[in-house]
Amino acid sequence: MYGSSLADAPAIREPLHSPVAHLVRGGVIEGIHYGSVVVLGAGGQVELQVGDIEAAFYPRSALKPVQAVAMLRAGLPLDGELLSLTAASHSGEERHLAGTRRILELAGLTEGDLRNVPDLPYDPAVRDTWIREDRPPSRLAQNCSGKHAAMLYTCVLNGWPLGTYLDPAHPLQQAIAEIVEDLTGQHIAQVTVDGCGAPLFSISLHGLARAAARITAAAPDTPEALVADAMREHAEMASGAGRDVAELMRAVPGLLSKDGFEGVQVAALPDGRSVAVKISDGANRARVPVTASALVRAGVDASALTGFAGEPLLGGGAPVGVVRVVRALDPLPARVRPA
């Protein structure tokens, strides 16, 4: 643990975000996405920063790999697909539901013990099927159910109370908070409740990038390395079929990546290079190309990321524009830009 060497908690303030992507339609900038981006080198140094990387923010589900590390350190014995599911924001496919049931079975528990909010599957196609079949929202289908099942299993193994496992004062959540501070290298600024009902810890974007780097650069067979290996080897279990975060890990060998609601993304390579992105308006259409450009700035071969340049803007059903990163992030040769 870092103990007294931890940096102060990030300041709670209005983030000083900067433009990170333009919506260009017919050669005219139609809209601007603001946000913040940090790129860290293998030694942990800041290679690029755009916007405000030190203000307190909520990493949302991008923090799940850290939470999974904390549970392994507390004795959780999962690996492979089930460990990947522990760190997942899953799509609600049958494999995700089956995996969550398996974790609960290992703990001697059932869906009734979960305290996450009931929901329909996250993936639109899977959700539509549920609606057609008149299936109601469920705790298993909610995208954080794997994490919640693993939290309960960790509690069973440690003899901790089950009914209050989401209380920030619960031993499980205290253990998770300790590892959040350990891996980010800074004190937590604020604790609130995430969409699923679990405690949500406020850190800085810089701290999130540091945590991802420490996970991917950790020694083999450590909890950090086990989480990274599980998520990379079972990317669809940590997300879902066709999800951009899984496609990104397949496109870049050794990359660990995790998205989060409200336009958050973190990604890191085995040598410790990492990037973290926050899109201020939460837009996925900016998150993906901004993350890809940040990875190129971190040294990833641009040719591996051509499929992540962003979706075209349509007019009359035909492409008439693009979502394009700003000059400060664009690592590619200059393009034709509006005056």
Side-chain angles (χ1 to χ4, degrees):
M1 301 304 170
Y2 292 96
S4 59
S5 67
L6 286 173
D8 291 340
I12 299 174
R13 62 173 184 244
E14 180 178 350
L16 302 174
H17 292 307
S18 297
V20 293
H22 292 154
L23 277 66
V24 182
R25 183 184 295 271
V28 174
I29 296 177
E30 183 178 34
I32 301 174
H33 288 291
Y34 285 73
S36 295
V37 180
V38 61
V39 177
L40 300 184
Q45 72 278 14
V46 175
E47 298 284 1
L48 174 72
Q49 68 178 85
V50 176
D52 194 343
I53 69 171
E54 303 296 355
F57 92 119
Y58 290 120
R60 303 299 298 269
S61 288
L63 199 63
K64 282 177 178 173
V66 177
Q67 293 171 309
V69 169
M71 286 185 265
L72 287 188
R73 289 193 187 183
L76 184 69
L78 299 179
D79 59 12
E81 288 189 344
L82 295 185
L83 180 54
S84 184
L85 183 60
T86 296
S89 300
H90 65 70
S91 291
E93 301 163 21
E94 286 303 322
R95 59 179 158 181
H96 300 129
L97 276 60
T100 301
R101 291 190 192 98
R102 179 58 181 154
I103 296 173
L104 290 169
E105 289 170 0
L106 290 169
L109 302 173
T110 69
E111 180 180 357
D113 293 294
L114 294 171
R115 292 292 179 269
N116 59 321
V117 293
D119 201 357
L120 293 171
Y122 176 75
D123 182 84
V126 180
R127 185 189 315 126
D128 288 347
T129 298
W130 273 58
I131 292 171
R132 286 195 302 270
E133 295 174 353
D134 201 27
R135 298 172 70 176
S138 81
R139 298 185 193 277
L140 281 179
Q142 198 270 336
N143 75 90
C144 302
S145 63
K147 177 183 76 174
H148 282 256
M151 285 180 170
L152 283 167
Y153 192 8
T154 305
C155 290
V156 168
L157 293 168
N158 286 277
W160 293 334
L162 301 182
T164 57
Y165 77 93
L166 296 182
D167 188 329
H170 189 280
L172 169 70
Q173 301 303 337
Q174 290 292 299
I176 291 174
E178 183 179 5
I179 303 309
V180 170
E181 293 189 334
D182 179 355
L183 293 180
T184 63
Q186 63 186 174
H187 289 289
I188 293 167
Q190 184 81 316
V191 181
T192 188
V193 182
D194 210 338
C196 65
L200 177 60
F201 306 104
S202 180
I203 54 174
S204 70
L205 197 66
H206 191 176
L208 179 63
R210 278 195 299 263
R214 286 170 177 162
I215 289 173
T216 57
D221 298 323
T222 59
E224 292 89 337
L226 292 173
V227 168
D229 289 345
M231 293 181 68
R232 288 183 293 223
E233 292 170 13
H234 306 280
E236 284 82 5
M237 205 65 169
S239 53
R243 292 270 293 279
D244 61 78
V245 68
E247 297 285 349
L248 188 61
M249 285 193 277
R250 279 199 296 271
V252 182
L255 185 73
L256 173 69
S257 188
K258 183 70 187 77
D259 54 349
F261 279 158
E262 299 303 323
V264 181
Q265 181 113 14
V266 66
L269 292 155
D271 63 2
R273 287 175 290 158
S274 64
V275 308
V277 170
K278 164 64 181 176
I279 306 300
S280 65
D281 62 1
N284 280 330
R285 66 180 178 184
R287 173 183 59 81
V288 176
V290 169
T291 298
S293 289
L295 284 169
V296 176
R297 293 295 295 266
V300 173
D301 185 350
S303 65
L305 297 167
T306 55
F308 303 92
E311 299 178 3
L313 301 181
L314 302 181
V320 295
V322 295
V323 178
R324 188 176 64 202
V325 298
V326 298
R327 286 184 176 89
L329 285 167
D330 192 348
L332 303 177
R335 304 166 181 167
V336 176
R337 299 175 181 274

